[in-house]
Amino acid sequence: GQNIDQPTEMTATEGAIVQINCTYQTSGFNGLFWYQQHAGEAPTFLSYNVLDGLEETGRFSSFLSRSKGYSYLLLKELQMKDSASYFCAVRDDTSGTYKYIFGTGTRLKVLA
Amino acid sequence: IAGITQAPTSQILAAGRRMTLRCTQDMRHNAMYWYRQDLGLGLRLIHYSNTAGTTGKGEVPDGYSVSRANTDDFPLTLASAVPSQTSVYFCASSLGQGGNEQFFGPGTRLTVL
């Protein structure tokens, strides 16, 4: 089957570093994505990993280990505007076409 | 139009009524998707289309239908709405089915009474 797990909620302090973990199980893995969603808004793309290792984009980094079914999103130098929900999503091609499976999201609160 | 748009922004609907949610993109993206987002359940894929003229079922397709007559438009229809279809609906598109980034519309908040 397909399953994605990530923590429901996290709290961190402005200026700190936070790591949001994601574990997944899928038979047809074809990429892992992280999206950010502010309350009342649409999700926006943050990062994409298909090979093992770290991808960095500014203050955000995403790591993937395919053998462990594990990814994390690392946010550095936290700002108040980083308070949002973060979704891990897996692209699966088991059925011969691509489908996206989203986790239930991690709500991050950044405190002053 | 810039990007991907959805209409209406919000709607209150009586159970049993038919409703079509509209989605239009001007990025010439081949792939389009419909998701519903419910509290605590994240985003769940309803239907998708990899290219104009083709559609496929996602994780929660029952009670919904889609069509893809052209590249730009991907309407979602609820033939006979039920209260469990109360949700926020997001349309998204990507360059192709293998596109690495999905662009999401602003969403439609639907309440079925």
Side-chain angles (χ1 to χ4, degrees), chain A residues 16-28:
Chain A
I17 298 173
V18 71
Q19 178 174 312
I20 303 174
N21 295 323
C22 170
T23 58
Y24 64 88
Q25 291 178 308
T26 183
S27 51

Side-chain angles (χ1 to χ4, degrees), chain B residues 59-105:
Chain B
E59 183 183 355
V60 287
D62 295 343
Y64 306 94
S65 63
V66 291
S67 61
R68 187 86 184 278
N70 56 61
T71 298
D72 298 346
D73 302 300
F74 191 43
L76 176 74
T77 297
L78 290 68
S80 179
V82 295
S84 62
Q85 292 177 310
T86 294
S87 187
V88 179
Y89 291 85
F90 287 102
C91 179
S93 71
S94 64
L95 189 59
Q97 64 169 328
N100 295 337
E101 177 178 356
Q102 289 187 46
F103 294 83
F104 284 81

Side-chain angles (χ1 to χ4, degrees), chain B residues 6-91:
Chain B
Q6 294 182 233
T9 303
S10 65
Q11 181 75 44
I12 298 174
L13 190 66
R17 297 295 296 270
R18 180 184 180 90
M19 176 74 192
T20 295
L21 308 185
R22 300 185 296 279
C23 175
T24 300
Q25 53 98 4
D26 66 353
M27 299 176 283
R28 307 306 293 171
H29 283 175
N30 287 319
M32 296 187 75
Y33 315 84
W34 273 106
Y35 294 90
R36 60 177 290 173
Q37 185 172 34
D38 304 292
L39 196 63
L41 293 177
L43 289 150
R44 292 183 291 170
L45 182 65
I46 304 171
H47 285 288
Y48 64 92
S49 168
N50 289 329
T51 189
T54 69
T55 62
K57 295 181 179 180
E59 183 183 355
V60 287
D62 295 343
Y64 306 94
S65 63
V66 291
S67 61
R68 187 86 184 278
N70 56 61
T71 298
D72 298 346
D73 302 300
F74 191 43
L76 176 74
T77 297
L78 290 68
S80 179
V82 295
S84 62
Q85 292 177 310
T86 294
S87 187
V88 179
Y89 291 85
F90 287 102
C91 179

Side-chain angles (χ1 to χ4, degrees), chain A residues 46-47 49 54-63 74 76:
Chain A
L46 287 179
S47 69
N49 296 69
L54 192 68
E55 295 287 339
E56 297 186 75
T57 307
R59 294 187 297 114
F60 295 179
S61 303
S62 57
F63 172 83
L74 192 71
K76 303 175 185 176

Side-chain angles (χ1 to χ4, degrees), chain A residues 24-85:
Chain A
Y24 64 88
Q25 291 178 308
T26 183
S27 51
F29 179 82
N30 194 277
L32 187 135
F33 304 79
W34 285 94
Y35 282 83
Q36 179 191 60
Q37 184 180 32
H38 287 99
E41 298 182 9
T44 55
F45 172 82
L46 287 179
S47 69
Y48 163 70
N49 296 69
V50 67
L51 300 177
D52 291 351
L54 192 68
E55 295 287 339
E56 297 186 75
T57 307
R59 294 187 297 114
F60 295 179
S61 303
S62 57
F63 172 83
L64 175 67
S65 169
R66 290 172 295 170
S67 62
K68 296 181 179 178
Y70 168 69
S71 174
Y72 67 71
L73 179 69
L74 192 71
L75 293 77
K76 303 175 185 176
E77 303 170 13
L78 279 174
Q79 302 175 9
M80 298 298 289
K81 67 178 182 179
D82 296 330
S83 292
S85 291

